[in-house]
Amino acid sequence: MRAGNGAGGGRGHDVTRRHQLLRVHGRSVAWVPPLLLLAGIAVADFNTTGEFRIVSWIVLVPGIAAAICGVRGTALFAVLALVTYVGVDSAWPHQYQTGLPDFILVAVGGVLATLACAVRVRGERRMLHMRDVAETIRRTMLRPLPPGWGGLDHAAAYLTADVEARVGGDFYDIQPGPHGTRVLVGDVQGKGLGAVETAAALLGTFRECAYHEPDLATVADRLETRMSRHAGHVAALGRPDGDRFATAVLLGFPAHAPGTVESVVFGHEPPLVVGPAGVRPLPPGDGLPLGLAELAGNPGPPPVHRSRIAPGETVLLTTDGVTEARDATGTFFPLADEVARALATDPRLAEPRLLVAFVRDGTLRHCGGVLADDTTVFAVRPVREQAG
């Protein structure tokens, strides 16, 4: 499966997992395989005929150690292999001894194995460091959200199409403030560090203006302005990716109007409301993606739509990694139909945690675990509405 969640995936995770597999009750057992091989070769050589000696195979021991042990352990096995070779070979009559050529082979093999181990360990340390850097970036962009943050019961799943990455162009956040709680979910066009940089710029603006601005339309306008400023900065640097855009959904849960959700859609799939009454979409709106406002005939933020949300209903937001996931026949994932079918069987699916898990697993199952794009599943439900 090429997907990884926010907790990571990739080579750094593989390194850590391998080290865990080579430990028993907290103690390293990486020395066991090369030691068993060393003993096995020595015993086998004692039980062969003089015409067929296998003691030179002992050069494999430091090679095995180089793959799973540390530098000191590999150097130790290189020395043990050389000492064992001398002891075993000396025990044979002179005419059957392999002598100096194989001694040089074992010695050189041990040195090369130790050097190879040093290169491997340095690479693993660098990979673990890069994983920590990527995790810091991920936590800065997709910051952890406390339970019930902003009066919303929420759940999220973030899957990256790139197994080496821990964060991409998808973004989401919840920002409570004196005027209510605002939610932003979006997807920056393209991939790579440029998409991450754009997503970070939008999230930074959202976290500030969603707190201070009383009107959701003003928040939407500030996001468009930030996108334009960011594009200008990138273009001034001479980079070729200054024409990026981002689809997004901006939600507002006004403090003065319980049971109401405001929505602004920037060229994104409209959110779905999932609850006891079934599945229904919020108004799609007619806004262009962020960064493309100048193409509109009537410049300005898209309209703010207001909808009622009943007790027990959850707002489900996804990026196109879900809606554009294809199976082997090229069929898109039927998100609304799948959720409605499962909801009819188990009404508890409307809970954010269960809903996100269902959509995540369904998407991966539909595309066979091979994601073509970063994928975000985000669900929110007012806590006061849930309590009824």
Side-chain angles (χ1 to χ4, degrees), residues 60-274:
L60 298 175
V61 172
I64 297 298
I68 58 178
C69 297
V71 177
R72 292 182 180 178
T74 301
L76 177 61
F77 274 110
V79 173
L80 285 176
L82 196 61
V83 171
T84 303
Y85 168 81
V86 172
V88 171
D89 195 47
S90 300
W92 284 86
H94 179 74
Q95 65 270 26
Y96 295 124
Q97 293 179 3
T98 57
L100 183 61
D102 283 356
F103 175 86
I104 296 176
L105 173 67
V106 174
V108 172
V111 172
L112 293 179
T114 303
L115 293 176
C117 180
V119 172
R120 190 209 89 216
V121 170
R122 183 174 62 181
E124 289 184 352
R125 287 175 177 170
R126 178 175 177 81
M127 184 58 65
L128 290 173
H129 174 70
M130 294 303 296
R131 186 193 66 172
D132 292 340
V133 171
E135 178 66 16
T136 301
I137 295 174
R138 186 192 71 83
R139 291 177 65 88
T140 301
M141 282 190 55
L142 307 179
R143 58 180 180 176
L145 299 174
W149 183 239
L152 297 179
D153 184 13
H154 59 83
Y158 183 81
L159 307 173
T160 57
D162 183 359
V163 297
E164 302 299 334
R166 301 173 72 84
V167 64
D170 285 8
F171 55 92
Y172 61 85
D173 202 3
I174 297 175
Q175 181 59 60
H179 310 290
T181 299
R182 275 71 184 265
V183 176
L184 179 66
V185 173
D187 178 11
V188 177
Q189 172 262 340
K191 293 180 173 62
L193 292 178
V196 175
E197 182 182 4
T198 303
L202 290 173
L203 283 172
T205 298
F206 168 75
R207 288 164 183 165
E208 286 302 311
C209 64
Y211 179 87
H212 292 287
E213 298 296 340
D215 297 323
L216 196 67
T218 305
V219 178
D221 189 53
R222 293 289 184 87
L223 290 172
E224 178 60 46
T225 300
R226 184 67 180 95
M227 193 69 178
S228 176
R229 291 171 53 206
H230 178 72
H233 176 260
V234 172
L237 292 174
R239 286 166 39 183
D241 58 342
D243 57 349
R244 291 184 186 273
F245 61 85
T247 62
V249 175
L250 177 63
L251 298 181
F253 295 87
H256 63 275
T260 299
V261 58
E262 301 175 331
S263 61
V264 179
V265 179
F266 297 95
H268 200 89
E269 289 287 333
L272 297 177
V273 178
V274 181

